[in-house]
Every structure is written in C-alpha cells, then in structure tokens.
Amino acid sequence: MSSTEHLKSLDYSVLQQCMHCGLCLPTCPTYDATKVERNSPRGRIALMRAIADDRLEPSRAFADEMYFCLGCLACMTACPAGVNYAELFEHARAEAEQSGVLASPRRNLIRSFTLRWLFMDLRRLQLAGYALRLYQQLGIQTLVRRSGILNLLPKRLRELEAMTPEIQPSFSSDLIAPVTPAIGVKKYRVAMLAGCAQDLIFSDINRDTVEVLVRNGCEVVTPRDQVCCGSLHAHNGEWELAQQLARKQIDQFPPDQFDAIITNAGGCGSHLKHYHKLLGDDPVYRESAKLWDQKVKDIHEWLMEIGLQSPVDNQPLQTVTYHESCHLCHGQKIVLQPRQLLRAIPNLKLVELPESAWCCGSAGIYNIVQPKMANELALRKIKHIESTGASVVATGNPGCLLQIINSATQKGLKLRVVHPITLLAEAYQQGD
Ligand code: SF4
Ligand code: SF4
C-alpha cells in the first residue's frame, strides 16, 4: 500500500463489515464515559467510511476523534461481525497525519524528535536513558522535587514530571548475554525482543524472561543492538516508519532461524504479529513477514505451548490479581495463558479482578496526550484492584505496569505491580 493512500485504498470489505448493531458500545471506554455516538466504535467507523467514500474530508474533528480513541480493541472482542478495528484504526490515524489537519510547529517538532529520531535508533534512546538515570541516581531529581521549583511549571508539565519512570540501574545488554544456553537439554532456539522503553524501565523483566526461557529448554538469542518494533509508529500514523522498522527486525531476526521470536510486552506483540499487513506489498519481505507473524509468540503463549516446568512447592503465600493488557487480551486473544502461568506457581492465590480487560488508560502514549480520560480509567482500575484485597497486581505490558504503579503511588497504596514472568522467575529461584 502506498503511503499516500490510507482509508480510501483499504479493502472496502473491511470498511463495510460493520452492521451498526451496537454490541460493541458497552465495551468501549470512551463511549462509556461520554455516551456520545461519535466517541464509539460504530461512530468512528462511520466517520472512516465517510472519508473512504469521499463524503467527508479529513478534518480536525475527525483527527481529534481518532486520537480520543484508546486503540484498546475491546470493540473487536465484542464485535459479532469480526470487524477488524485494529486495521481501520491504524489507517485512520495515518490518514489524519497525512492530511496535516493536526499539524503545528510544536507538534511537528515533538513528533520529529520522538517518532522520527529517538525511537528510530535505540542507541539514541539509551543515551537519553543514561542521562535520565544519572539525573535520578545523583539525587538531582529528588532535590528538584523537594525544592518546590516545579511549582513554577504549568500544571500539565508538573503532572508529566511526576510520571517520569525510574530508569533501571542496568539495561538488558548489561544483564543478558547475546546468547544464553538452555539449562539441561536444549529443545528450542528462540529470539527475545528487548523492546525500547521496556529496556530502559523494565530490563529486569527481560532478564527474568530469559531466565524462565532457559529453564524451559530454550537457548535464547538476545543481540545487543535491537530496534523498536514500530508499534508506536503504526499507532500514531507513521506507516512508512513502521514498515522500515519491520524490515530491520526481520533482517536482525530471520524467522527461519528460530523456533519462536518472543516478546513479553502485550502492546508490542499485538503489532509484531501483523508484519505481513505492513509488508504485504513488498516483494522482498512479503514471504518472510508471513513466516515472521507465525513465529512471534507472547511469552505466556509460548510457555503454555511448550509445557511449563512447574516450580517446586516451597513458595511463600501471596494473593495476586491479574490486569489484562488490552493488546494481549483483545489484540492477541491471550486470556487463559497468563492465568494458567500464575496458577502454576504453588501457594499463589489468584483473585479475579473485576473488569480485568477494561483499559487502564495507558494505551501507548494516551496517558500523555489525553490525561483526563486516562486518569479516570486509572482510578477506575485502582478501585477494582483495591476491591480484590490483593497485595500484588500482575500484568503483561510495560505501559500498564507504569500506569498502575503511578496511580497506586499517587493514591499512597502499598501495592506490588509486576509482570507475571517475574513471579515465575522468583518461584524458580525459590526452589534452587
Ligand atoms: S479501540 Fe477501544 S476506545 Fe477505540 S473504539 Fe474500540 S473500544 Fe472504543
Ligand atoms: S459490534 Fe461490530 S458490527 Fe456491531 S456496531 Fe460494533 S463494530 Fe459494528
């Protein structure tokens, strides 16, 4: 597909599929908040179709609507007609970007710096991570926060500063060897994607993932200089950049050389499994993209597929609840496996979270660009977490982890927020 065509050049059957039944409406967080048809999946699809039919020009109102959508894909789970909202959503945002209706010097500068520069080469992102880590480790951040100087900033900047994640003392390349041999008999050879922001903020989860994989008979290949998967770009209308990154990923991890390509981030996995959609028109990459899509596995999915080694039965008692990342449950339909993994840990009591599959408001960079709606969703999530009485929340996506950590901290809640894989790695270590 050419970069100058989006909604108009989509296969019309995708746009036509919506039969306006409205069954998706109660599952849509933005419609639930406003009860305005335009803010629902059905309303958004009608707008997209009007543009594809040339009945409407992309306008500021259209673009704002596409960015008010969380992209949580709850509507896809609810839809009986199988509407591919994920595909529509990405093309609609690309259409909005291409039309330029949102352009402003400030926005263009931010997008150029982040999407077109910082996240196109992870060495740059790591450098930014080193600088931020130094700022935090030297205590400058604490000093700045205590000094009251931040009160001079506008409210929105103060809120953003409070959301700054804690940078890990070591990144994945310091913690994980490029090749980690399987413990015992080697049954599989897998690649592990370290992620972009995940590597700076949750490199410990990457280390735990490798540990769990090698204990389950996998040799793990984790090269040092990896690239971003491109989900951030695809979800923010940068279709061509997403294609460039997909090609780089395939070059770095030729899918015919691995039994599986593992991701531990729900949001990335949902995008990584659709490279063929991105590269279907590329004669060089088309076939390998197809194979790539088959080889990409979420960590929970892969472990359940190969049969998980049970940890020994000497674990401490813990009560855990599970929040479902939207792109893990709605995007990838991985619902049972994380729960099965948690239940495999002896003495872990899993308490179901009410509305576990309702978005927490993180949604990529949604909590940065749509703070009001994101905050409402975070508070709703925290209220449900509190109702379970669990002291640990497990979730399989870095964005959700951060969103819940920040909301719990704001509320002064004593809550441990972890990736399920960390709990499993700890359980294995407990048995050593
Ligand atoms: S992706 Fe989420 S927010 Fe957007 S229309 Fe679907 S359910 Fe609503
Ligand atoms: S459930 Fe599916 S078919 Fe029905 S209105 Fe929503 S998107 Fe359209």
Side-chain angles (χ1 to χ4, degrees):
M1 178 173 303
S2 128
S3 63
T4 55
E5 302 168 322
H6 285 286
L7 290 172
K8 286 191 182 73
S9 60
L10 256 184
D11 179 350
Y12 201 67
S13 64
V14 180
L15 276 157
Q16 244 183 344
Q17 228 166 350
C18 175
M19 54 190 187
H20 319 295
C21 65
L23 284 174
C24 54
L25 268 55
T27 69
C28 173
T30 53
Y31 179 76
D32 182 73
T34 66
K35 299 290 186 285
V36 173
E37 173 73 13
R38 201 185 60 226
N39 303 149
S40 77
R42 186 174 62 185
R44 289 178 178 128
I45 293 168
L47 283 174
M48 295 175 201
R49 192 164 165 183
I51 286 178
D53 289 347
D54 262 336
R55 285 182 284 114
L56 193 74
E57 281 295 309
S59 61
R60 171 99 209 192
F62 165 76
D64 284 345
E65 190 50 58
M66 295 311 128
Y67 278 97
F68 186 45
C69 171
L70 291 143
C72 69
L73 310 183
C75 46
M76 270 179 73
T77 299
C79 179
V83 169
N84 188 344
Y85 188 83
E87 193 175 353
L88 289 171
F89 167 74
E90 285 186 354
H91 285 282
R93 281 201 174 172
E95 186 91 39
E97 290 307 325
Q98 192 194 307
S99 70
V101 289
L102 292 173
S104 72
R106 186 171 161 269
R107 188 174 187 274
N108 293 350
L109 186 72
I110 294 172
R111 284 178 69 90
S112 294
F113 176 69
T114 51
L115 295 174
R116 293 172 206 134
W117 190 76
L118 197 60
F119 283 85
M120 286 306 286
D121 184 340
L122 293 188
R123 283 170 301 189
R124 295 170 192 155
L125 190 68
Q126 276 208 350
L127 276 180
Y130 286 128
L132 191 53
R133 185 164 76 191
L134 211 60
Y135 172 73
Q136 292 175 340
Q137 282 181 344
L138 293 177
I140 305 171
Q141 184 178 48
T142 316
L143 216 63
V144 168
R145 283 180 174 175
R146 284 200 189 133
S147 70
I149 201 167
L150 293 173
N151 292 331
L152 300 174
L153 294 176
K155 183 168 173 277
R156 186 62 200 130
L157 283 183
R158 287 202 307 274
E159 286 167 358
L160 284 175
E161 197 283 334
M163 286 162 67
T164 315
E166 201 180 317
I167 303 296
Q168 288 276 316
S170 309
F171 299 149
S172 302
S173 53
D174 306 318
L175 298 172
I176 305 166
V179 179
T180 313
I183 294 177
V185 180
K186 172 183 154 185
K187 297 185 204 148
Y188 309 99
R189 182 170 189 263
V190 305
M192 199 206 66
L193 306 182
C196 49
Q198 162 96 355
D199 185 30
L200 306 191
I201 311 165
F202 297 113
S203 53
D204 51 340
I205 298 175
N206 286 341
R207 182 204 54 215
D208 294 340
T209 304
V210 172
E211 175 167 357
V212 165
L213 284 166
V214 297
R215 285 176 186 259
N216 282 278
C218 302
E219 176 188 75
V220 187
V221 178
T222 321
R224 287 181 190 278
D225 289 322
Q226 299 199 18
V227 295
C228 170
C229 70
S231 80
L232 192 62
H233 303 82
H235 293 165
N236 287 283
E238 294 288 351
W239 190 262
E240 276 194 356
L241 296 183
Q243 286 175 320
Q244 281 179 31
L245 290 167
R247 290 188 192 102
K248 285 187 183 174
Q249 287 278 16
I250 291 175
D251 288 342
Q252 186 165 39
F253 299 102
D256 56 346
Q257 294 181 16
F258 298 98
D259 293 304
I261 297 160
I262 305 292
T263 170
N264 54 22
C268 303
S270 182
H271 174 72
L272 283 158
K273 287 179 175 177
H274 296 105
Y275 274 4
H276 188 246
K277 284 257 179 240
L278 274 174
L279 301 175
D281 290 342
D282 183 326
V284 179
Y285 283 86
R286 188 169 40 216
E287 286 312 310
S288 37
K290 215 183 261 176
L291 184 61
W292 168 277
D293 289 359
Q294 291 162 18
K295 292 284 175 83
V296 172
K297 300 280 176 186
D298 172 74
I299 182 67
H300 309 90
E301 177 186 25
W302 174 246
L303 289 171
M304 288 306 139
E305 203 173 302
I306 63 174
L308 178 72
Q309 290 269 354
S310 296
V312 296
D313 191 5
N314 63 347
Q315 309 295 324
L317 280 175
Q318 52 184 335
T319 305
V320 178
T321 194
Y322 174 63
H323 159 68
E324 306 193 59
S325 136
C326 296
H327 282 247
L328 200 53
C329 67
H330 302 305
Q332 299 182 61
K333 309 294 176 216
I334 294 177
V335 173
L336 286 178
Q337 298 93 323
R339 291 177 166 86
Q340 288 167 340
L341 183 150
L342 289 167
R343 288 201 179 96
I345 300 174
N347 295 330
L348 185 153
K349 184 179 164 208
L350 182 63
V351 191
E352 272 302 321
L353 178 65
E355 293 187 351
S356 65
W358 194 264
C359 183
C360 66
S362 163
I365 54 167
Y366 193 89
N367 53 359
I368 297 173
V369 294
Q370 299 279 355
K372 186 173 173 291
M373 183 72 204
N375 274 342
E376 283 171 23
L377 290 169
L379 289 177
R380 181 171 176 152
K381 184 62 64 182
I382 288 288
K383 196 177 98 209
H384 285 314
I385 291 171
E386 280 186 287
S387 78
T388 65
S391 55
V392 182
V393 186
T395 186
N397 186 49
C400 307
L401 283 161
L402 259 189
Q403 176 84 337
I404 299 173
I405 290 170
N406 282 338
S407 312
T409 310
Q410 267 173 30
K411 273 207 85 186
L413 273 188
K414 237 180 133 220
L415 199 63
R416 185 172 182 220
V417 191
V418 285
H419 196 292
I421 220 66
T422 296
L423 295 174
L424 182 60
E426 285 173 359
Y428 284 141
Q429 288 155 11
Q430 193 77 21
D432 286 346

